[in-house]
Amino acid sequence: MTQLLIVHRDPEIGRDLVQLVKDYTGYESILTHSESETLVWLRRQPNLRPRILLTQLHAPGLDGFVLGALLGEMFSGLQTLFLPAYTASEQRMEVAGSKVFPEPIDGGRLISTIERSVRMFSDAPDLFHVLDILQMCCLSKRSGAVQIVSGSTVGTAYLRDGQIVHAETATECGCAALFEIVSWGEIEFAYDRSVHAGVETIKKGWNALLIDALEEERRRALPVWRQQTA
């Protein structure tokens, strides 16, 4: 049964991924090379309901965020895995259960994530850790806005050339809003490259900023009497 839709501009890498998945899981994959090819192929296969989208984050004719959002509306419970252009050595923080696979791709982790995703309920939300999304956007030099949703709570992080320049929640803005957003853990998200911040309230580099947010989250988890000395 076809469980995966793999979208990659490089035919050789795409075929290698298809073979890797088949060899280690037995699942069949469909390989396409762009957003338009993927959508045309799916229209011609109305009975196909892939469980997993494994896509490059960015390539000519392909934006993984856009494709993931489109297919997420078409297929309830679709789980998205991203292949960004940066390398694993460029990452500044490791995220448990990450659905992001920079080069060189960790085949064992990829297979484990695929197996875990297939076992999820058919209508399970497509969740990511908020740190994974923010780090991926920054390392990919994205500009625009990332709307971050945790249950009924919504926040927005604004980016310019891979730097977080502003953040908002219902009650906070600037660094305080970003610290609140990071504390949400697993989230759903939407990206819009056309939206930009009206103000820029954050000056610190994204890496140091996220480390500060994690430290603040750790401090707030302490008993009140310990927070004053942490």
Side-chain angles (χ1 to χ4, degrees), residues 65 137 142-148 156-160 189-197:
F65 283 164
C137 287
R142 291 271 177 159
S143 296
V146 183
Q147 185 180 68
I148 296 164
T156 306
Y158 295 88
L159 302 133
R160 178 169 50 79
F189 80 98
Y191 170 75
D192 190 334
R193 74 182 73 179
S194 68
V195 176
H196 303 284

Side-chain angles (χ1 to χ4, degrees), residues 109-181:
R109 186 168 70 83
L110 176 61
I111 294 302
S112 295
T113 303
I114 289 170
E115 293 283 20
R116 184 172 68 248
S117 298
V118 168
R119 291 195 299 268
M120 297 178 74
F121 294 115
S122 59
D123 59 349
D126 192 14
L127 297 178
F128 291 81
H129 196 286
V130 63
L131 287 176
D132 242 357
I133 294 302
L134 293 176
Q135 177 172 233
M136 182 165 51
C137 287
C138 292
L139 285 172
S140 300
K141 307 298 184 184
R142 291 271 177 159
S143 296
V146 183
Q147 185 180 68
I148 296 164
V149 180
S150 176
S152 60
T153 309
V154 180
T156 306
Y158 295 88
L159 302 133
R160 178 169 50 79
D161 299 326
Q163 293 296 328
I164 301 170
V165 297
H166 182 57
E168 298 174 351
T169 65
T171 58
E172 302 286 356
C173 69
C175 288
L178 189 73
F179 289 3
E180 180 184 344
I181 288 169

